[in-house]
Amino acid sequence: MKVGIDLGTTYSTVAKYDKKTSRPEIINNKFEKELTPSVICFLDNGEILIGEDAKDMQAGGAGTIAASFKRGMGDNSFTVESNGKVYTAEDLSAMLLKKLIKDAEEKSGEKIDSVVITVPAYFNDFQRTATIRAGEACGVKVMKIINEPTAAAISYGYNRESNKTVMVYDLGGGTFDVTIVKVNKGNIQVVGTDGNHILGGKDWDAAIVKFVCEQFLEEYGVDPRDDEPTKNEMIVASENYKKVLTKTDSVTIQVRHEGYTGKYTLTREQFNMRTQFLLSATKDVCMKLFADLGMNWSDIDEVLLVGGSTRMPQVTEFLKKVSGRPVIDHADTDLAVAKGAAITSEFYCSTSTGVRDVQITDVTAHSLGALSVSPGGDRYINEIMIKRNSKVPTSVRKPFKIDPGNMTSVIEVFTLQGESRVPLDCYVLARVVITGFYNSGEGTLIDIEYNYDENGVVRVSAFQNGQPLQVDSQPVPDDITWMNDPPKDRGSGAPIAKNVVLCIDLSRSMRNSLEEVRKVINDFVMTVAGDNTKFGLIGFGDKVGIMRDMTSDPNTIVAALDGLKVNVYGRGTDACPLGTASMMLSNRPGGKMIVVLTDGIWGKRDFAVGEANICRNAKTAVVAVGIGDADWGFLKQISTVEEGAMYTTLDRLGETFSTIATALNTGSMGVRESAGDTARLGTGEIRGRIR
Ligand code: ADP
Ligand code: MG
């Protein structure tokens, strides 16, 4: 038998799809209850109680209690210790799952062999993998991990014919999630998801504690919150008062502290007023998701309520008002997720024999990036590979560059989860080590690929020239604070060899610019010159002329610059200097760059683009600087590096060339894959960290 399991923070539920009735059905536990508390109790005599029995013990205060362990999933520092044994959240989840499965088997008289387990949409790779392992530890096949809001949408939408866009508004105990889903004849397509994971029912409880204590303080001059046990008791009691307010218009609350007794009445209206800001905060999350997706309330057909806290009547009122849309308050709030998982186990798993022609498309809740070095080489950045709200499964491959001069044979890639460019603002998910590649030391390119599978689990692979490389998982080190520091030891000590050919347009239209050009190029050469740098100088017009072949003596270049004159190679620009320049650079060790300066569009434009491609294949960086009548589109076509098309003015030519000098000195300008490709290469290079 296949079942769906809602492995909840506070309660868990098991459901199966009943083929006779064509409906998902909850499988009750031994106590004939639909929900089983997600609680485990370790008694001192070694006995372990799970579920209902454990919850009873929790109330009585006996044994060691493990509760809300779902929050610790994937976090190895979360442990519960009992009788000398240490349990991680994964161990505890496995124990709970085993119990849920055993109870459901006894109840239904059927053996369970495969399961679908639900997780919060924001669960990361670690937490999902830990959930899969917990399931497998029970000896069942985990067919699929599915997001809770998606499951809720499935249980609501799988049997509807209509084409609807539904917002799943899930307000639980400690988290709020919003997910937009398109439902069409059983096809479920998740459009986007977002959430606030510190906002939930507990904040409404806290508002009640605050209300009571403020009045108590005013009346007796002491604050019950100053006494920790009293405070904890009040927090627990407030959850019940809150539930009373769901049913009635007011509740009377009594508090004893330091010999005083206060008695206060809280009306639903007062409660609503005092918690209005919390509802507004949920709306902010919805608006942010809308902004991300370019949507609005008018795109939503229905709002579907999920989560225990949506039972509060003010939630429906508020949502009706702000959305202007029908708000569906599902009678099944607690069960929708498990039922959706059951439906999934029958129809939406690749191994299933279901015949419905349906599918689920889900999205990623977070962006995933790779730790890389900024274009300027001065800091580490999160280079995003897969953007949040991308459809899954998905795979993205991007080229990265090893610093020229760095002879490493080992690269480590850190997988980062989060939206920030700053690595330590993100969650460091994993680390892999790549080996077995050829490194020429001239800025070797390695393709890194991220695969995000249907369960939301990420796999990293690497390629060189299309050939797969060895990739091994390694633990993330405890100390990763270095990600905040500037990247050190670029290169392997030896200075990077650089070869630069300067190509100057000497057509007639350049006549008034040449004096400035001479000065700017002079400065550029003197800035970049060094033992390891060689220059060449080309002039072009209707023909191409080599004015100086490759030399490491900057003075000979400076002398040649003095001889710059227009019209010596013809009045027009029918020639392209790239082929000649490329020839001058061929077979030279180190980085290769061609800098072209022009003030117009060349006569044989297509020919120039072809020669630029040859340069690209030879891993030669072509930087195209344009002034006057040059156009940026053309510059972009002939440049081979990121931001290598530079349209500027004569006034700012010096600035432009100093940008190029910096890029050359830091080796941060890499070759782009194809013309017009906006991202990559050189924007981020994975550091080859030498060990
Ligand atoms: P989670 O999925 O985060 O474990 P649930 O969806 O089960 O949470 O919702 C639990 C929350 O719902 C708790 O904060 C609880 O107080 C609240 N809740 C449950 N029933 C009611 C009710 N009748 N009125 C108000 N809040 C409720
Ligand atoms: Mg929930």
Side-chain angles (χ1 to χ4, degrees):
M1 177 172 58
K2 292 175 287 202
V3 295
I5 302 178
D6 171 3
L7 190 62
T9 310
T10 44
Y11 287 95
S12 296
T13 313
V14 182
K16 68 162 184 179
Y17 187 82
D18 187 332
K19 286 182 201 151
K20 284 194 212 95
T21 58
S22 297
R23 291 165 59 87
E25 308 279 1
I26 301 294
I27 305 177
N28 284 356
N29 67 17
K30 275 210 304 232
F31 300 87
E32 281 306 329
K33 290 199 168 156
E34 295 169 321
L35 308 180
T36 300
S38 305
V39 181
I40 298 176
C41 175
F42 298 91
L43 294 176
D44 298 337
N45 65 7
E47 211 184 323
I48 300 173
L49 306 176
I50 302 175
E52 213 72 54
D53 296 333
K55 177 111 181 179
D56 290 344
M57 288 294 162
Q58 183 179 21
T64 305
I65 297 289
S68 295
F69 42 84
K70 184 177 172 180
R71 291 183 193 285
M73 267 318 236
D75 173 1
N76 287 329
S77 64
F78 178 102
T79 53
V80 172
E81 209 182 320
S82 173
N83 297 324
K85 274 183 85 175
V86 177
Y87 300 88
T88 61
E90 189 178 316
D91 300 332
L92 297 166
S93 295
M95 292 162 76
L96 172 60
L97 275 168
K98 209 172 255 171
K99 164 80 172 165
L100 292 168
I101 290 170
K102 189 167 145 272
D103 275 12
E105 284 180 337
E106 278 172 16
K107 180 80 196 162
S108 65
E110 281 183 72
K111 175 120 187 68
I112 294 171
D113 45 41
S114 317
V115 300
V116 168
I117 306 174
T118 64
V119 296
Y122 62 85
F123 252 30
N124 64 38
D125 180 76
F126 264 13
Q127 297 166 309
R128 287 167 197 267
T129 312
T131 305
I132 294 173
R133 277 196 304 258
E136 284 169 349
C138 302
V140 294
K141 179 170 166 44
V142 180
M143 291 189 287
K144 202 172 168 68
I145 293 290
I146 178 171
N147 291 339
E148 288 160 11
T150 311
I154 288 169
S155 83
Y156 163 84
Y158 84 109
N159 247 347
R160 279 165 218 256
E161 288 301 306
S162 54
N163 188 354
K164 284 214 163 101
T165 303
V166 179
M167 171 187 274
V168 181
Y169 179 101
D170 179 357
L171 189 58
T175 58
F176 169 66
D177 277 289
V178 58
T179 305
I180 296 174
V181 182
K182 285 192 173 146
V183 178
N184 186 17
K185 297 193 175 79
N187 287 308
I188 311 281
Q189 186 199 341
V190 180
V191 182
T193 185
D194 206 339
N196 179 339
H197 303 126
I198 53 167
L199 176 67
K202 63 170 176 36
D203 297 296
W204 273 262
D205 306 344
I208 296 179
V209 174
K210 185 160 179 272
F211 168 84
V212 171
C213 292
E214 279 172 4
Q215 296 197 54
F216 196 99
L217 181 63
E218 196 170 306
E219 196 169 341
Y220 301 111
V222 280
D223 191 332
R225 283 173 293 189
D226 292 341
D227 179 47
E228 202 64 25
T230 309
K231 186 178 132 193
N232 287 335
E233 238 168 71
M234 287 183 73
I235 292 173
V236 174
S238 292
E239 184 178 355
N240 288 321
Y241 293 129
K242 174 183 73 177
K243 290 181 180 170
V244 172
L245 282 173
T246 291
K247 289 208 187 73
T248 63
D249 286 341
S250 74
V251 63
T252 301
I253 303 167
Q254 191 167 301
V255 191
R256 281 200 197 85
H257 176 61
E258 291 200 358
Y260 304 112
T261 302
K263 210 171 170 185
Y264 310 100
T265 298
L266 176 63
T267 65
R268 189 191 277 170
E269 206 181 323
Q270 284 172 308
F271 180 50
N272 291 356
M273 251 163 50
R274 287 173 158 263
T275 53
Q276 179 70 30
F277 73 102
L278 295 169
L279 286 176
S280 296
T282 67
K283 184 189 151 200
D284 294 343
V285 177
C286 299
M287 298 318 284
K288 183 168 161 275
L289 179 60
F290 279 147
D292 273 2
L293 300 174
M295 295 177 80
N296 217 318
W297 289 114
S298 57
D299 300 310
I300 302 293
D301 296 309
E302 282 166 2
V303 181
L304 178 65
L305 298 181
V306 178
S309 298
T310 61
R311 290 214 178 85
M312 296 186 290
Q314 61 267 41
V315 175
T316 307
E317 281 165 39
F318 175 79
L319 279 171
K320 276 191 177 143
K321 211 167 69 206
V322 299
S323 71
R325 298 281 131 192
V327 175
I328 314 235
D329 109 33
H330 213 285
D332 263 357
T333 285
D334 295 317
L335 309 176
V337 172
K339 287 185 175 177
I343 296 163
T344 304
S345 74
E346 188 62 32
F347 295 117
Y348 296 91
C349 291
S350 44
T351 56
S352 83
T353 51
V355 287
R356 281 172 67 110
D357 178 23
V358 289
Q359 58 176 18
I360 310 171
T361 326
D362 217 320
V363 298
T364 63
H366 316 272
S367 294
L368 276 184
L371 183 78
S372 55
V373 177
S374 64
D378 56 339
R379 68 202 147 85
Y380 288 109
I381 54 165
N382 171 25
E383 177 71 20
I384 290 184
M385 299 281 285
I386 299 177
K387 278 223 186 69
R388 64 187 308 249
N389 286 330
S390 298
K391 274 188 196 168
V392 290
T394 185
S395 110
V396 171
R397 194 188 281 201
K398 288 183 179 178
F400 285 83
K401 194 176 80 181
I402 302 172
D403 294 342
N406 184 338
M407 292 307 300
T408 185
S409 56
V410 181
I411 297 176
E412 48 183 4
V413 176
F414 288 86
T415 314
L416 304 174
Q417 169 189 296
E419 313 313 313
S420 173
R421 278 292 260 185
V422 179
L424 290 187
D425 286 352
C426 302
Y427 185 77
V428 181
L429 264 187
R431 168 176 167 239
V432 298
V433 168
I434 300 170
T435 49
F437 52 88
Y438 168 73
N439 183 4
S440 64
E442 298 176 22
T444 298
L445 298 180
I446 304 285
D447 290 322
I448 305 292
E449 184 173 288
Y450 278 25
N451 275 293
Y452 211 104
D453 74 11
E454 284 177 348
N455 295 326
V457 174
V458 192
R459 212 183 48 244
V460 177
S461 37
F463 303 85
Q464 186 171 41
N465 301 323
Q467 295 303 310
L469 300 172
Q470 175 84 22
V471 177
D472 297 297
S473 273
Q474 296 281 328
V476 176
D478 288 336
D479 185 4
I480 46 170
T481 49
W482 54 266
M483 290 184 189
N484 258 343
D485 302 334
K488 284 194 297 276
D489 56 70
R490 292 176 62 84
S492 57
I496 308 161
K498 285 170 281 196
N499 302 283
V500 188
V501 177
L502 295 155
C503 307
I504 316 283
D505 185 343
L506 296 177
S507 63
R508 200 178 112 85
S509 52
M510 286 291 289
R511 62 192 181 281
N512 297 323
S513 314
L514 274 194
E515 200 183 310
E516 182 66 17
V517 167
R518 205 176 282 128
K519 225 177 79 202
V520 167
I521 304 280
N522 201 338
D523 287 351
F524 173 79
V525 169
M526 296 322 274
T527 312
V528 182
D531 287 347
N532 265 287
T533 310
K534 291 195 169 63
F535 296 97
L537 185 66
I538 284 179
F540 67 98
D542 293 326
K543 285 184 295 192
V544 177
I546 299 176
M547 301 178 70
R548 247 324 155 264
D549 205 348
M550 301 309 287
T551 167
S552 52
D553 179 4
N555 295 319
T556 70
I557 299 289
V558 170
L561 285 169
D562 282 340
L564 283 188
K565 269 202 288 285
V566 295
N567 297 344
V568 286
Y569 301 112
R571 302 171 143 242
T573 42
D574 270 350
C576 167
L578 293 177
T580 309
S582 192
M583 198 188 68
M584 286 163 70
L585 289 169
S586 69
N587 294 324
R588 290 187 180 274
K592 293 178 281 220
M593 183 187 270
I594 299 171
V595 182
V596 178
L597 172 64
T598 184
D599 71 341
I601 300 172
W602 307 344
K604 294 180 183 139
R605 187 172 174 146
D606 290 346
F607 181 77
V609 173
E611 296 218 314
N613 267 325
I614 294 169
C615 295
R616 180 176 294 118
N617 293 338
K619 303 274 181 278
T620 300
V622 178
V623 177
V625 182
I627 52 175
D629 287 340
D631 95 32
W632 190 70
F634 173 64
L635 299 173
K636 215 167 142 63
Q637 276 183 311
I638 59 167
S639 85
T640 62
V641 290
E642 185 66 26
E643 286 164 21
M646 303 178 167
Y647 185 79
T648 186
T649 57
L650 203 56
D651 288 348
R652 309 191 61 171
L653 197 61
E655 245 171 75
T656 304
F657 270 84
S658 76
T659 306
I660 302 170
T662 307
L664 198 59
N665 282 335
T666 57
S668 67
M669 215 174 235
V671 181
R672 207 170 48 190
E673 246 192 357
S674 63
D677 183 9
T678 48
R680 298 310 53 81
L681 276 215
T683 61
E685 352 174 324
I686 286 194
R687 284 209 1 96
R689 289 171 62 80
I690 305 156
R691 282 169 308 166

